[in-house]
Amino acid sequence: MSTSGQQDKLKSRRRGKELETAILQAVREELQEQGYANLTMDGVAERSGTSKAVLYRRWANRAELVLAALRERVPLPLEEVPDTGNLRDDVIGVLRAMNHNNTQAMMKALYGLVTELGAVPLASLIFPDGRQNRTMTIVLQRAADRGEVAPEAITPRMLTLPSDLARHELMLYNTPMTEEMIASIVDEVYLPLVLKR
Amino acid sequence: MSTSGQQDKLKSRRRGKELETAILQAVREELQEQGYANLTMDGVAERSGTSKAVLYRRWANRAELVLAALRERVPLPLEEVPDTGNLRDDVIGVLRAMNHNNTQAMMKALYGLVTELGAVPLASLIFPDGRQNRTMTIVLQRAADRGEVAPEAITPRMLTLPSDLARHELMLYNTPMTEEMIASIVDEVYLPLVLKR
Amino acid sequence: MSTSGQQDKLKSRRRGKELETAILQAVREELQEQGYANLTMDGVAERSGTSKAVLYRRWANRAELVLAALRERVPLPLEEVPDTGNLRDDVIGVLRAMNHNNTQAMMKALYGLVTELGAVPLASLIFPDGRQNRTMTIVLQRAADRGEVAPEAITPRMLTLPSDLARHELMLYNTPMTEEMIASIVDEVYLPLVLKR
Amino acid sequence: MSTSGQQDKLKSRRRGKELETAILQAVREELQEQGYANLTMDGVAERSGTSKAVLYRRWANRAELVLAALRERVPLPLEEVPDTGNLRDDVIGVLRAMNHNNTQAMMKALYGLVTELGAVPLASLIFPDGRQNRTMTIVLQRAADRGEVAPEAITPRMLTLPSDLARHELMLYNTPMTEEMIASIVDEVYLPLVLKR
DNA sequence: CCTTAATCGAGACGGTACGTCGTGTCTTTAT
DNA sequence: ATAAAGACACGACGTACCGTCTCGATTAAGG
């Protein structure tokens, strides 16, 4: 039974961290292909070339496993901070990036987790290190340096407002934001609040 | 085992609308007690004193059944529109009401539905009749009449902004908003955008 | 997945006794092919075209299932009683028949049962109706009628002695008895004890 | 977790024969406590304070391990040969001894072995050195010397007959023989065949 | 006496089967 | 005709044990 061949008989048996990484990668692939509701432990075990016992030794159940797989990816490698020279285009750039980093599959996986792991609030998944927004901090600081905004306009609320509205949109519609939606957030809400006049 | 007495042997067998209503009520009770993840068709059948065949004759699967149960309750009887005489307190009243109308259990049920019924975006569950906000329309119109806001400030975005931010908060944290959070939304974001100056 | 075809989609779903009979037949087939140690619940379920849940609804575990399958066959339809006209050949005929009715597979299944179902003594499986031997009763009675044996020689012990020794042989060696072994039992032990002299 | 103290940290690590003996002893203890069906390799490893690798370096599988443990004990130190001065009491003594040397647990372990190690016939376990009966040889020879039996009555069959019938009884009922059963074997079968008349 | 090779103890790993539970279908009986 | 009851086929769950493997610690034996 020379099965699915994802594990070269020449390579020695994987263990510890290496094995764990391979498993979590398999989870993410299953999430993309099957979606959270159809992801099974057997499926993950087979795809990662291991056995269910190995999964259950590390994670108590399906939800914990998916949770771990998502956590690995949530603190995205501090993405490029847009630097166009004006606040409006910087913020638009930030919001556009959210379209890509919050895939449909990932969003639904998050919903599934909340449904199953009663206690886990979404926030702790989305903001594992507390509610901060390093990208926006940089963007706003640059705008302040250029004199576009007053320094005292940089409040916690103003750091998260655009992404909060964008996330709300993404969560409700489970589809990428339109350019109009992004423009509405920036032009009708954000800029009027922070720009000097 | 003459169980929970949900069906008196004296009363004749229920049918049609009466039966359906009893089933959907049982679904909501199970949701409250068990949560969406642990709600089972057998459980609903037993609680409502009927059989699974009856459920499947009406709804295709678990998700559709829960969906139906929630829809019955989503268009809440148009709640009292606050009328305190000033915009700030009216909006705060609206947001406070959201704390009560979006129970934890209901929120998680919505997440579960999105997870299982791949296609259903949350928005269609929350806004079955399109994105409108009749309460805020009334509140803002009154404020315009009083001269607190300029009529041209009443844009679609301004009708939904406070509740969007509040909903975002509720979705992320799965817990009632604090008074501080409500004040932040109103004072740091909303009023600065709409109040005449 | 139009699987093994043992269940015509045209025929309606089997239930009750009919289903049960098919399952026990499948168990016996698995016993012959796989042996007791390698017989699995999944295997039986697949071969009989049903599911494990159905098996477990009727029998608590593997051993109980096999036990039921064997019981159905143990009270073999009262086999032909040899009637050759002399006692020696009659008894030899009886012992030869045991070679066929106690297959290797069945013997090992019995051992397996005793191993797993701690309490069940083999005797209750082999003699579900108490230790009797109707065949030998007839054979001996005929011999007495012919005057070969004295009527008072027909004791319980003499009814079971040949088959006891034969069974001992079959249990120890798990292989059919040789003709020499049969002759030894009859000529060295049995006839000297019962024949008139 | 200074566990069950089966291996004093002060005592040096066991190897070779000493280790092997301890393991087989642990096997027999597990057999007594758990029975064959519930004996596990992990259990034996833990009880003997070693690891599974050590077991599998010496025995190919569970059955081989148990087999080895039983073999150590089967050739019981040539038990006392009864010498009462008459054949009847000597034979009864031999049969009574079988009640003690064939424990229930050991018998069931033998069944388990046959079930799993398809090829191993029970006989080779019970008679590792070929079908002989040294005890009965001595008993019968003494009887011949006393003139109770004719020398030509000492045939292979007569050496094993009583123990064969006794073993058959023990295997079927998994319980010690009654005195009546022993008397029946001796008085109704054995003595009539061998005693001079 | 110190190195070196072998074995030990511990436990992770890849599998297979277990027995349970939930889904969605189907059959039967009663109203 | 529909309701209530419940069996049926399916598939995933989480557990247990098997037999293999890797790893570091220990120890007997040899230079």
Side-chain angles (χ1 to χ4, degrees), chain C:
Chain C
M1 262 191 275
S2 69
T3 33
S4 32
Q6 63 270 38
Q7 178 205 1
D8 218 336
K9 291 299 180 192
L10 303 178
K11 283 209 57 178
S12 72
R13 198 181 263 182
R14 295 161 305 170
R15 306 168 67 83
K17 204 60 189 171
E18 177 193 1
L19 177 56
E20 190 161 322
T21 302
I23 292 170
L24 295 182
Q25 178 56 33
V27 171
R28 285 185 292 266
E29 290 173 21
E30 290 278 312
L31 272 182
Q32 289 294 340
E33 293 180 16
Q34 314 278 344
Y36 180 80
N38 296 324
L39 177 147
T40 69
M41 298 303 265
D42 292 272
V44 171
E46 186 173 4
R47 182 186 282 269
S48 58
T50 183
S51 74
K52 282 197 293 176
V54 170
L55 304 184
Y56 282 105
R57 192 175 301 128
R58 292 158 202 270
W59 301 281
N61 49 50
R62 192 173 70 125
E64 296 282 4
L65 170 58
V66 173
L67 183 52
L70 292 184
R71 270 210 230 279
E72 265 202 353
R73 284 302 154 98
V74 162
L76 299 153
L78 187 49
E79 63 267 28
E80 301 287 302
V81 178
D83 191 4
T84 62
N86 75 78
L87 176 58
R88 183 175 189 277
D89 291 335
D90 281 0
V91 177
I92 286 180
V94 169
L95 298 190
R96 279 188 189 138
M98 291 181 69
N99 264 345
H100 302 301
N101 295 334
N102 292 275
T103 71
Q104 258 197 16
M106 166 144 170
M107 221 60 204
K108 280 203 243 167
L110 289 177
Y111 289 158
L113 290 179
V114 176
T115 307
E116 267 179 46
L117 289 177
V120 176
L122 265 180
S124 76
L125 299 175
I126 295 178
F127 305 123
D129 315 317
R131 194 159 183 166
Q132 51 171 268
N133 194 316
R134 293 203 278 165
T135 303
M136 279 300 292
T137 305
I138 297 173
V139 165
L140 258 190
Q141 189 55 56
R142 285 194 192 123
D145 293 345
R146 283 192 302 264
E148 283 190 86
V149 309
E152 61 269 22
I154 308 186
T155 63
R157 169 61 72 181
M158 288 306 126
L159 286 172
T160 61
L161 182 58
S163 55
D164 284 352
L165 286 173
R167 191 178 304 108
H168 175 257
E169 205 64 23
L170 290 168
M171 290 176 76
L172 278 196
Y173 290 97
N174 245 322
T175 176
M177 293 176 282
T178 62
E179 281 296 317
E180 287 73 26
M181 176 54 64
I182 293 177
S184 165
I185 293 174
V186 177
D187 294 330
E188 299 183 45
V189 180
Y190 196 55
L191 295 185
L193 283 171
V194 295
L195 283 192
K196 253 184 197 158
R197 343 160 211 144

Side-chain angles (χ1 to χ4, degrees), chain A residues 136-177:
Chain A
M136 280 301 293
T137 305
I138 296 173
V139 164
L140 258 190
Q141 188 57 53
R142 283 194 193 124
D145 293 345
R146 283 191 303 265
E148 283 191 84
V149 309
E152 62 270 21
I154 310 186
T155 64
R157 169 61 72 183
M158 287 306 125
L159 286 171
T160 60
L161 182 56
S163 55
D164 284 352
L165 286 173
R167 190 178 306 107
H168 175 255
E169 205 63 23
L170 289 169
M171 290 178 76
L172 278 195
Y173 289 97
N174 245 323
T175 177
M177 293 176 283

Side-chain angles (χ1 to χ4, degrees), chain C residues 165 181 184-185 188-189, chain D residues 155-162 164:
Chain C
L165 286 173
M181 176 54 64
S184 165
I185 293 174
E188 299 183 45
V189 180
Chain D
T155 63
R157 168 63 70 183
M158 288 305 126
L159 287 172
T160 60
L161 182 57
D164 285 351

Side-chain angles (χ1 to χ4, degrees), chain B residues 19-40:
Chain B
L19 177 55
E20 189 162 322
T21 303
I23 292 169
L24 294 181
Q25 178 55 32
V27 171
R28 283 185 292 266
E29 290 173 22
E30 290 280 311
L31 272 182
Q32 288 294 339
E33 293 181 15
Q34 314 277 346
Y36 179 80
N38 297 324
L39 175 145
T40 69

Side-chain angles (χ1 to χ4, degrees), chain A residues 8-24:
Chain A
D8 218 338
K9 291 297 180 193
L10 303 178
K11 283 210 58 180
S12 74
R13 201 180 262 182
R14 296 162 304 172
R15 304 168 68 83
K17 205 59 189 172
E18 177 193 1
L19 176 55
E20 191 162 320
T21 303
I23 292 169
L24 296 182

Side-chain angles (χ1 to χ4, degrees), chain B residues 13 15 19 50-51 57-58:
Chain B
R13 195 177 267 180
R15 315 187 142 227
L19 177 55
T50 183
S51 76
R57 190 172 301 128
R58 292 157 205 270

